[in-house]
Amino acid sequence: MLKLIWTTGPYIATIVFIVGMFWRYKFDRYGWTSRSSQMYESRLLRIGSPLFHFGLLMALGGHFMGLVIPESVTERLGISEKLYHIVAVAMGSLAGVMVVMGMSILIYRRRTVTRVFQVTTKMDKLMYLVLGTLIGLGVYNTIGINLLNLPGKYPDGYNYRETVAVWFRSVATFSPRAELMSEAPLTFQLHALASMALIAIIPITRLVHIFSAPIGYLSRPYLVYRSQTAKKSRRGWEPTLR
Amino acid sequence: MRVMAQIGMVMNLDKCIGCHTCSVTCKQTWTNRQGVEYVWFNNVETRPGIGYPRTYEDQEQWQGGWTLKRNGKLRLKSGGRLSRLSKIFSNPKLPGLDDYYEPWTYDYDNLISSPTTDTVPVARPKSLITGKNMKIEWSANWDDDLGGTYKTGQDDPMLKGIEDSVKFEFEKSFMFYLPRICEHCLNPSCVASCPSGAMYKRSEDGIVLVDGDKCRGWRMCVTGCPYKKVYFNHRSGKAEKCTLCFPRLEVGQPTVCAETCVGRLRYIGLFLYDADRVLEAASVENDQDLYEAQLSLLLDPHDEAIIAQAKKDGIPEDWLEAAKNSPVYKLAKEYKVALPLHPEYRTMPMVWYIPPLSPVVDALKNTGNDAENVNNLFAAIDTLRIPAQYLANLMSAGDVTVIDNVLKKLAAMRSYMRDFNLGNEFNEEIPNSVDMSGEDMYEMYKLLAIAKYKDRYVIPAAHKETADRLEEAMSSGCSVNFDEVSPKSTDGRNPIPVAIETFSLTKKRMYSETYSEITDEDKK
């Protein structure tokens, strides 16, 4: 059973994600937004939102380092496992603290500011649950296991680059090695599981705004002209009367 | 040179009585939906006053518009591209809902459903945001007619430097109304701010629009616009703004605000401008040179060389004809009585204002002098520095001579035409004293005082070959026949046109002197 999850889970999540994103783009382009609530409240948001988002960007960068770049490559570059571990745990802990602090402020804000709470949808709550679980497990793995050695089993930290990362790359090359995941500590397994759940629900949440990160803005001309007669793209639906 | 067409508007502030009809009809048409309850694409402000949203003109606080860098290059006032992208997670310069106001309704139901009591039931105000009871403390025109200005008036950003004198003038009721819509700028800072590239300027007519399908709700346009005329729909998470009623303009009808203006003070027409020189004009060093720089962009539609170039740049024949008859070109460039609002923001705004002479006339009248005598008026314009300085802060980056010149033209027209009305001989010295010919002055009088519908609005329709893309159906050359579409039709395949009136019917109604000219035959 567990083996099935590690061999098919990532693919199911990815397919749901791709189909879902296509569906969302085709049918709900108008609903594709970050749904900012800054107009309602900005004092708490000004602290919480940048903490959360920049923390997440750091964490994403860390995951790229840890999962995509093989241990052999960093070793060849002269970075010992020990040095890598120290840097990863330090940066990871910093990112974790930022994300947890930011998210706590944001959730507190969402719950206590009436204006914000009123526009919180069911999807938002589901997203907060999955994302919160994912972050909680990730922070426990970094700070709880690798920094503080809370379970007492990993005095030098757990080297996920020998199991989780290899499994991740084996999934990417379509030859999943499930047994590697089964060896990892339970919280690492749960973290991977939660990440699959998150990837699958992205298309139906406000998280779609991640994929609109406006990088192109840095290079486009300031003024945009568009012709009235430009071809209009058709939506997936016809306007109807209520 | 690249000739482009721009639909512009001029408002004659002397005629504005602050009735808010434009605001109300605009709201009914465009922003009576959830998420934009607080939004007024058109609003009317009493000046001096702090405006809507509060103190929006204080760009040190709100960082709207452009600023000149030390190297003479233009940069958005809120920062360079990278610096603004880094603020995307929490925009520090976004006005909050309370800077506009918390919209509300009343619990009218309580008036009829209340049981019999000793006291009269009341309809309590309910917030449209939270649905809870609320205390009304501010609105889009809270300081209307100087109401409460004794408390807030000194916060008007345009009073900097003349605060002390204006306090005195308040008691003499120096006041006028300023209706505002989106400026549809030639150098729009909102468009430049949009990280998604969802905002654009329409190349045919210069209307600035938001593509709701591309907007991702980053809110940078709200900060970028110094006039705060791009709004954030807090429910849909998308930007929304004044569209200059493009579905109406496309079929040759004026905007809703202009059409319904009871003072008939709005003018709509075409400008031809040199798109290649916009950046250069917006980058002149001195703020007070911006008005002249902006004027220099407007091209003479009668000049053969410009007509030839315009044709080369794809501007259709009938648009060139409309540009020749454009009331806004006449008022802004030929008579030079219409001024841009806040040229110092460097956005090259295309809604122009004729500053009000009435504060001067009123003050003169109160002294018992003849307020239509040209010498008295000129003397009063020279003496009454406070209204002139205030108007200059609004419309000429503080350059009082620009305001003086306009006010003197208006004063001269007043005196010149009095002779006409009294049956006296025209005194040609009057127009000559403001560098105008008597003929021009009479033409200006006809445009400003008689203000016929067909003279106020010279709007070329969009082209038939593109008619199938128009939002509103035209009566001819269009296959949509809404007589055959049942209003209850729900098949979704036959969308009903937005306007039920046909173009020709509307046109006939507008230009006819009486209503009886329209027969039942027309209504088909």
Side-chain angles (χ1 to χ4, degrees):
Chain A
M1 173 61 202
L2 265 178
K3 209 174 160 193
L4 205 62
I5 290 176
W6 303 128
T7 48
T8 57
Y11 300 113
I12 294 173
T14 309
I15 288 167
V16 170
F17 169 77
I18 290 171
V19 172
M21 291 299 269
F22 178 79
W23 165 84
R24 179 80 182 261
Y25 187 76
K26 178 130 176 84
F27 290 92
D28 187 33
R29 222 169 295 171
Y30 187 74
W32 193 299
T33 151
S34 54
R35 291 232 339 273
S36 162
S37 58
Q38 192 184 344
M39 278 208 78
Y40 301 127
E41 199 282 339
S42 72
R43 209 174 41 88
L44 287 169
L45 187 88
R46 191 171 305 167
I47 312 163
S49 178
L51 260 182
F52 174 74
H53 282 96
F54 284 118
L56 268 186
L57 286 177
M58 273 174 71
L60 270 179
H63 278 75
F64 178 81
M65 286 279 294
L67 293 179
V68 179
I69 301 172
E71 198 170 346
S72 54
V73 172
T74 49
E75 297 232 312
R76 219 172 298 150
L77 290 172
I79 304 165
S80 69
E81 163 58 18
K82 195 150 195 189
L83 179 63
Y84 171 85
H85 187 75
I86 291 169
V87 173
V89 168
M91 297 301 282
S93 301
L94 176 64
V97 169
M98 281 171 73
V99 171
V100 169
M101 274 175 55
M103 195 163 184
S104 308
I105 295 172
L106 291 180
I107 291 178
Y108 169 80
R109 166 179 181 270
R110 197 155 275 278
R111 191 61 197 85
T112 55
V113 180
T114 317
R115 288 174 178 181
V116 183
F117 188 55
Q118 284 212 331
V119 296
T120 306
T121 63
K122 276 183 193 155
M123 275 308 158
D124 290 341
K125 288 173 188 165
L126 174 74
M127 186 272 290
Y128 270 100
L129 185 72
V130 177
L131 189 62
T133 311
L134 179 70
I135 289 171
L137 288 162
V139 170
Y140 177 79
N141 290 344
T142 305
I143 299 181
I145 295 182
N146 280 353
L147 182 67
L148 304 175
N149 187 21
L150 288 183
K153 279 192 252 171
Y154 310 99
D156 297 326
Y158 175 70
N159 189 0
Y160 50 82
R161 293 206 294 168
E162 281 169 0
T163 54
V164 183
V166 180
W167 166 77
F168 180 86
R169 289 193 298 274
S170 74
V171 168
T173 52
F174 300 102
S175 49
R177 292 169 60 190
E179 72 282 359
L180 290 169
M181 255 338 251
S182 319
E183 286 170 23
L186 182 65
T187 49
F188 275 86
Q189 296 190 22
L190 290 175
H191 182 70
L193 214 57
S195 69
M196 288 180 221
L198 187 76
I199 287 169
I201 64 164
I202 282 176
I204 50 169
T205 65
R206 60 163 64 179
L207 290 182
V208 288
H209 76 268
I210 302 167
F211 300 90
S212 317
I215 307 300
Y217 181 60
L218 293 173
S219 58
R220 74 142 221 258
Y222 264 141
L223 293 200
V224 179
Y225 292 94
R226 203 197 286 183
S227 172
Q228 193 179 333
T229 51
K231 207 176 128 221
K232 279 187 187 168
S233 62
R234 285 198 76 81
R235 287 166 180 275
W237 46 268
E238 295 285 340
T240 54
L241 290 170
R242 293 246 165 116
Chain B
M1 187 198 288
R2 183 163 51 112
V3 182
M4 285 181 87
Q6 167 78 39
I7 294 187
M9 188 184 280
V10 170
M11 299 192 212
N12 183 0
L13 295 187
D14 248 338
K15 285 184 169 185
C16 185
I17 56 168
C19 68
H20 299 276
T21 305
C22 47
S23 304
V24 171
T25 50
C26 172
K27 188 151 190 54
Q28 290 288 0
T29 311
W30 293 106
T31 57
N32 56 353
R33 293 163 287 125
Q34 224 187 13
V36 283
E37 310 91 343
Y38 76 100
V39 170
W40 297 81
F41 289 165
N42 181 107
N43 75 298
V44 183
E45 295 165 3
T46 301
R47 303 309 297 261
I50 64 179
Y52 157 82
R54 281 182 249 198
T55 68
Y56 69 94
E57 285 156 306
D58 183 356
Q59 302 311 340
E60 294 315 307
Q61 184 187 355
W62 297 113
Q63 308 273 302
W66 301 88
T67 188
L68 215 52
K69 286 197 290 191
R70 281 223 191 103
N71 64 6
K73 282 200 171 152
L74 223 47
R75 168 172 80 68
L76 287 170
K77 199 168 172 72
S78 50
R81 294 170 197 253
L82 253 181
S83 120
R84 260 168 322 102
L85 274 194
S86 71
K87 292 172 195 148
I88 205 164
F89 301 129
S90 164
N91 179 352
K93 298 295 176 191
L94 182 77
L97 195 58
D98 297 313
D99 290 308
Y100 298 90
Y101 69 102
E102 180 163 359
W104 72 88
T105 183
Y106 294 94
D107 181 14
Y108 295 109
D109 187 54
N110 189 43
L111 299 180
I112 41 173
S113 64
S114 162
T116 315
T117 56
D118 293 338
T119 51
V120 180
V122 292
R124 294 184 69 174
K126 299 269 184 192
S127 165
L128 282 171
I129 304 295
T130 62
K132 299 205 160 64
N133 288 328
M134 66 174 274
K135 190 164 178 267
I136 302 168
E137 281 172 306
W138 194 258
S139 79
N141 56 340
W142 198 246
D143 52 359
D144 214 17
D145 292 340
L146 302 185
T149 344
Y150 66 94
K151 267 189 152 175
T152 59
Q154 295 301 315
D155 297 334
D156 181 343
M158 292 302 107
L159 287 176
K160 242 178 212 163
I162 48 173
E163 300 96 332
D164 295 340
S165 347
V166 172
K167 198 188 274 172
F168 177 64
E169 293 290 324
F170 269 150
E171 280 127 42
K172 286 179 161 182
S173 325
F174 146 53
M175 171 188 106
F176 62 95
Y177 302 102
L178 182 72
R180 295 199 304 122
I181 61 170
C182 165
E183 300 281 342
H184 297 279
C185 306
L186 297 185
N187 187 31
S189 50
C190 55
V191 172
S193 313
C194 176
S196 310
M199 293 193 72
Y200 62 96
K201 199 167 171 61
R202 247 173 30 165
S203 43
E204 286 86 355
D205 48 20
I207 298 177
V208 176
L209 294 171
V210 183
D211 181 343
D213 278 356
K214 280 183 91 180
C215 172
R216 299 289 173 253
W218 302 123
R219 321 173 293 292
M220 292 295 170
C221 50
V222 182
T223 306
C225 174
Y227 304 93
K228 292 294 169 276
K229 278 293 172 191
V230 189
Y231 300 88
F232 185 67
N233 181 327
H234 57 87
R235 293 310 290 269
S236 70
K238 301 271 174 167
E240 293 193 19
K241 67 179 290 297
C242 158
T243 64
L244 207 63
C245 289
F246 72 86
R248 290 176 61 89
L249 289 179
E250 282 172 359
V251 294
Q253 298 173 352
T255 62
V256 168
C257 54
E259 175 85 85
T260 59
C261 174
V262 294
R264 301 196 260 184
L265 57 92
R266 301 202 187 208
Y267 298 79
I268 299 175
L270 275 188
F271 290 117
L272 298 182
Y273 72 101
D274 183 359
D276 284 341
R277 282 196 49 246
V278 170
L279 186 62
E280 175 197 327
S283 313
V284 297
E285 198 186 332
N286 188 345
D287 278 356
Q288 296 194 344
D289 295 335
L290 280 160
Y291 163 58
E292 280 299 332
Q294 183 164 336
L295 271 190
S296 77
L297 290 178
L298 305 181
L299 303 171
D300 181 358
H302 303 283
D303 186 321
E304 287 303 327
I306 284 162
I307 293 174
Q309 182 63 38
K311 281 182 185 161
K312 217 190 271 172
D313 291 328
I315 297 175
E317 202 79 44
D318 55 338
W319 281 57
L320 290 173
E321 208 49 46
K324 282 180 195 162
N325 299 320
S326 166
V328 295
Y329 177 78
K330 282 179 198 152
L331 293 169
K333 178 102 180 202
E334 283 181 13
Y335 309 142
K336 290 197 172 60
V337 290
L339 303 172
L341 185 64
H342 293 300
E344 73 273 20
Y345 297 161
R346 297 177 182 270
T347 59
M348 306 275 126
M350 281 295 123
V351 173
W352 304 62
Y353 292 89
I354 302 175
L357 184 66
S358 46
V360 178
V361 175
D362 288 346
L364 192 56
K365 244 187 226 155
N366 290 343
T367 62
N369 285 307
D370 177 3
E372 294 191 358
N373 178 292
V374 73
N375 294 326
N376 287 352
L377 277 168
F378 279 14
I381 292 168
D382 287 334
T383 336
L384 291 170
R385 294 291 72 193
I386 300 307
Q389 183 61 54
Y390 186 82
L391 289 169
N393 286 353
L394 277 181
M395 298 174 194
S396 59
D399 186 352
V400 189
T401 50
V402 174
I403 299 289
D404 281 354
N405 287 341
V406 175
L407 293 184
K408 282 183 177 166
K409 276 181 188 166
L410 297 176
M413 185 180 83
R414 205 178 161 88
S415 301
Y416 185 66
M417 290 313 298
R418 175 168 72 167
D419 286 333
F420 174 77
N421 286 334
L422 294 179
N424 297 342
E425 262 186 41
F426 277 122
N427 180 358
E428 294 301 328
E429 273 172 30
I430 297 177
N432 294 344
S433 69
V434 290
D435 297 328
M436 282 180 89
S437 69
E439 211 171 302
D440 276 353
M441 189 149 274
Y442 185 72
E443 285 299 316
M444 182 165 90
Y445 154 80
K446 276 208 309 199
L447 195 54
L448 290 182
I450 309 293
K452 282 281 187 197
Y453 191 92
K454 67 174 180 11
D455 298 330
R456 272 181 289 138
Y457 308 127
V458 181
I459 306 164
H463 274 223
K464 276 211 182 114
E465 58 268 23
T466 63
D468 59 324
R469 295 192 185 86
L470 299 188
E471 297 291 328
E472 299 229 350
M474 299 217 293
S475 63
S476 58
C478 181
S479 63
V480 178
N481 181 351
F482 43 82
D483 280 346
E484 288 164 14
V485 182
S486 155
K488 283 176 188 153
S489 148
T490 50
D491 65 354
R493 251 169 283 148
N494 295 311
I496 294 173
V498 182
I500 297 302
E501 276 181 314
T502 65
F503 175 60
S504 61
L505 177 60
T506 312
K507 193 170 163 191
K508 197 157 182 183
R509 178 163 60 81
M510 289 311 158
Y511 294 117
S512 65
E513 297 294 324
T514 60
Y515 283 103
S516 55
E517 279 182 32
I518 296 169
T519 61
D520 280 347
E521 196 56 37
D522 291 326
K523 285 182 182 155
K524 274 183 187 155

